[in-house]
Amino acid sequence: MSTAAYLHERFIASARQSAQAVAVVEPGKGSITYGELDSLSDRLRDRLTLLGVCRGDRVGIFLRKSVDAVAALLGTLKAGAAYVPVDPGAPAARGAYILHNCAVKVVIVEAALADKLGAELAGLGAMPAMIVVAEERAGGSGLRTALDAADEQAMAPTTLSIHNQPQDLAYILYTSGSTGQPKGVMLSHENAVTFVDWCSETFAPTAADRFSSHAPFHFDLSILDIHVCLKHGATLVLVGEEIGKDAPRLAQLIADERISIWYSAPSILALLAQFGNLARHDYSALRQVLFAGEVFPVKHLRALCELLPKPRYCNLYGPTETNVCTWYEVPLPIPAERSTPYPIGKVCSHLRACVLNEEGATVARGSEGELAISGPGVMQGYWALPEQTARGFFNADDGTAWYRTGDIVSEAEDACYTYLGRRDRMVKRRGYRVELGEIEAGLYRHAKIKEAAVLAFADEQAGVSITAFLSSHEEKRPSLIEIKRFCAENLPLYMIPDRFVWFDSLPKTSTDKIDYQRLKETC
């Protein structure tokens, strides 16, 4: 493992070593070299310092994915602060809540979003300084222009990049909270560096690699995309939102940009397999396909592997609180008779894992229990939520703090973990324990079902009722009789949903996961 104390150290080293190499590409718009990106992020560091940003402060990033956004997070890190990326496509009120919640000192925001965000922040009594960046500028020109204008008003003196300590915050990623308000997951430089270095030893990237950047920057998948790439002097290819869910255009981009390491949620890869016309393109550069964030239905994974048989396929598992904590390399070819998802694999080398029962005791290998993780990759806690932080950890007698993932797993004899479902998605029905994820897995076996999400609702008579939300590959959907007959053949009687609701496509969050909250609101 590296002895680097702070996340941006390796980027600085790459820029010194390969200043002329291309660091980031915005397809169809432009690119920036390592030397140029280093210089631009230095300028932002100096401006942030002039605005009073110090080690330990927070800086909000309210930008669409761009070279500007990459430079913004690097400049924030160089100033010693933690970056807080916010979804610019979400309501401004949500973004303002996040930025106010963690008391950002400065916000770097797109011009088109600045007025509305500023009004929302003012309504909360927050008035952070703003660096306003003109949108639709490529190659870092938007941020560069904003800094030029600021320098005309008051020149920012040159400063030095901060040498952070391992426990200093590097970034805060906000996730959905059980209270209905987002909660901030605090990740330190140690958390990030140990994860990035694990990726280096596991996937062996080189300067010749071209990484996809499909995940939005407020999603934890982006940590691998950005920081592993920049550590190795490779090229980061930004995938814009307008292309990211358009299978034919995305398939073309992967081929045209010669992407060699791809990382995304399985739902995107399933779309590519079904609708990307992959056989038309040259994917000889693609050597690793990584996926995380949700279960990959085997029928879609098999279809992808048959279309693209040469890359290495790896299932990466982990909540935002740990980033990736287990991983599994899919053995190819996938047998035709396999219908169950692959395991989430073995614990990463920089972490430890155990399986706990409800009382916090470890269970015997092979038994079901909650996966808990410890080690230097585990978050510091939730921002300003000490009680939730305390509930999220189990403290062992030896003083080890184990983060409770909420995921139910079992451990096989080879130390591989199999994901069984969420602790909080388990319900009792007719005296039986029912895991909603198991119903979803059963529904995915139907050849015509494209997406499946299952929710439980309180029912005065039955105690709980179960609704399945579905979308179909075909215009003609299965009839109610057909789908009930299929369920009877594939699920225990007590798991058959009471109700089936069809959509053209299930609603998604900004990170391309099925939006269960919006589905709840439809009922």
Side-chain angles (χ1 to χ4, degrees):
M1 287 293 182
S2 165
T3 58
Y6 49 95
L7 185 56
H8 47 294
E9 178 181 13
R10 291 301 184 80
F11 162 72
I12 294 171
S14 294
R16 299 290 185 269
Q17 182 176 343
S18 306
Q20 299 306 311
V22 176
V24 186
V25 173
E26 291 183 76
K29 294 182 178 180
S31 63
I32 192 169
T33 67
Y34 271 88
E36 292 166 339
L37 184 57
D38 191 34
S39 176
L40 182 58
S41 55
D42 278 351
R43 288 190 64 193
L44 179 60
R45 171 203 65 201
D46 298 343
R47 176 58 51 183
L48 292 173
T49 302
L50 183 65
L51 291 170
V53 172
C54 301
R55 176 180 162 192
D57 285 334
R58 278 77 55 207
V59 172
I61 299 177
F62 206 70
L63 302 170
R64 275 183 278 270
K65 188 187 294 184
S66 60
V67 168
D68 289 333
V70 177
L73 66 87
L74 289 170
T76 298
L77 292 169
K78 287 180 174 183
Y83 69 89
V84 185
V86 180
D87 180 7
R94 188 179 192 276
Y97 171 84
I98 290 171
L99 298 172
H100 176 56
N101 178 251
C102 65
V104 296
K105 187 162 281 186
V106 177
V107 180
I108 306 164
V109 57
E110 282 187 17
L113 307 172
D115 288 346
K116 194 164 187 179
L117 179 65
E120 293 287 352
L121 284 166
L124 295 172
M127 297 295 289
M130 283 192 174
I131 297 175
V132 180
V133 178
E135 64 278 6
E136 300 305 323
R137 303 281 185 91
S141 59
L143 180 59
R144 193 175 293 113
T145 300
L147 294 173
D148 287 344
D151 281 345
E152 289 180 3
Q153 299 297 317
M155 181 64 67
T158 300
T159 61
L160 295 175
S161 295
I162 298 295
H163 291 249
N164 287 92
Q165 295 302 306
Q167 294 307 311
D168 289 347
L169 282 183
Y171 49 88
I172 303 176
L173 301 180
Y174 275 76
T175 64
S176 298
S178 57
T179 63
Q181 293 285 15
K183 60 184 179 183
V185 180
M186 300 188 293
L187 288 309
S188 69
H189 282 267
E190 179 183 38
N191 296 152
V193 167
T194 54
F195 168 65
V196 168
D197 287 349
W198 173 80
C199 291
S200 295
E201 71 177 27
T202 305
F203 306 118
T206 71
D209 275 313
R210 294 173 68 85
F211 282 70
S212 69
S213 171
H214 185 275
F217 288 179
H218 60 279
F219 191 24
D220 60 350
L221 271 66
S222 69
I223 304 304
L224 189 158
D225 298 342
I226 299 167
H227 297 292
V228 178
C229 175
L230 297 182
K231 169 187 173 180
H232 290 276
T235 299
L236 184 68
V237 179
L238 303 182
V239 181
E241 186 177 347
E242 70 282 0
I243 294 179
K245 300 176 186 178
D246 185 330
R249 294 173 68 194
L250 186 58
Q252 182 78 53
L253 181 144
I254 296 169
D256 289 350
E257 292 295 335
R258 305 289 292 169
I259 288 173
S260 58
I261 298 180
W262 175 269
Y263 188 29
S264 75
S267 56
I268 298 301
L269 290 167
L271 279 175
L272 283 170
Q274 296 170 82
F275 308 112
N277 298 316
L278 298 182
R280 297 174 51 192
H281 304 292
D282 175 11
Y283 294 108
S284 56
L286 188 62
R287 66 186 189 86
Q288 302 199 62
V289 175
L290 316 177
F291 52 90
E294 59 192 351
V295 174
F296 203 153
V298 169
K299 65 180 180 181
H300 296 324
L301 177 58
R302 182 187 297 109
L304 180 67
C305 294
E306 289 174 350
L307 287 163
L308 301 175
K310 293 183 179 179
R312 175 193 192 191
Y313 289 83
C314 294
N315 180 19
L316 310 186
Y317 157 85
T320 301
E321 289 83 349
T322 69
N323 210 307
V324 176
C325 58
T326 69
W327 73 292
Y328 182 83
E329 184 168 350
V330 178
L332 299 181
I334 297 174
E337 63 275 12
R338 186 180 182 98
S339 61
T340 56
Y342 279 98
I344 57 174
K346 296 184 178 182
V347 67
C348 299
S349 59
H350 64 301
L351 298 168
R352 295 165 59 202
C354 68
V355 183
L356 305 174
N357 62 20
E358 293 180 0
E359 289 72 42
T362 56
V363 303
R365 181 170 284 180
S367 299
E368 295 183 12
E370 182 180 4
L371 181 64
I373 302 293
S374 71
V378 178
M379 68 163 184
Q380 291 188 342
Y382 300 111
W383 178 268
L385 293 172
E387 292 182 1
Q388 284 199 38
T389 298
R391 287 198 299 270
F393 286 88
F394 168 74
N395 293 308
D397 292 339
D398 63 0
T400 301
W402 293 90
Y403 171 70
R404 306 190 70 146
T405 65
D407 290 332
I408 305 302
V409 302
S410 64
E411 183 184 6
E413 289 301 319
D414 62 356
C416 256
Y417 294 95
T418 296
Y419 173 83
L420 302 174
R422 284 288 300 170
R423 179 183 61 189
D424 53 9
R425 297 200 68 218
M426 190 175 287
V427 297
K428 274 205 167 186
R429 191 184 192 207
R430 301 174 192 167
Y432 292 94
R433 291 174 61 176
V434 176
E435 170 52 47
L436 302 181
E438 187 174 350
I439 302 176
E440 291 171 352
L443 289 166
Y444 269 119
R445 298 188 191 112
H446 194 292
K448 293 182 181 179
I449 289 179
K450 180 173 69 174
E451 299 169 303
V454 177
L455 290 171
F457 297 88
D459 186 291
E460 290 184 2
Q461 294 183 342
V464 64
S465 66
I466 294 176
T467 298
F469 300 89
L470 306 168
S471 69
S472 175
H473 292 293
E474 302 176 9
E475 186 173 341
K476 185 177 180 181
R477 299 163 175 166
S479 67
L480 182 61
I481 292 175
E482 180 184 348
I483 199 70
K484 283 195 170 183
R485 182 185 300 121
F486 175 83
C487 288
E489 293 170 354
N490 288 271
L491 295 169
L493 182 62
Y494 60 86
M495 287 192 183
I496 297 176
D498 303 288
R499 185 169 171 243
F500 298 86
V501 179
W502 291 93
F503 288 76
D504 291 334
S505 179
L506 297 191
K508 303 294 193 305
T509 68
S510 63
T511 55
D512 289 314
K513 295 182 181 180
I514 291 173
D515 193 333
Y516 285 86
Q517 186 59 42
R518 283 173 61 190
L519 288 174
K520 283 183 181 179
E521 293 168 358
T522 65
C523 292

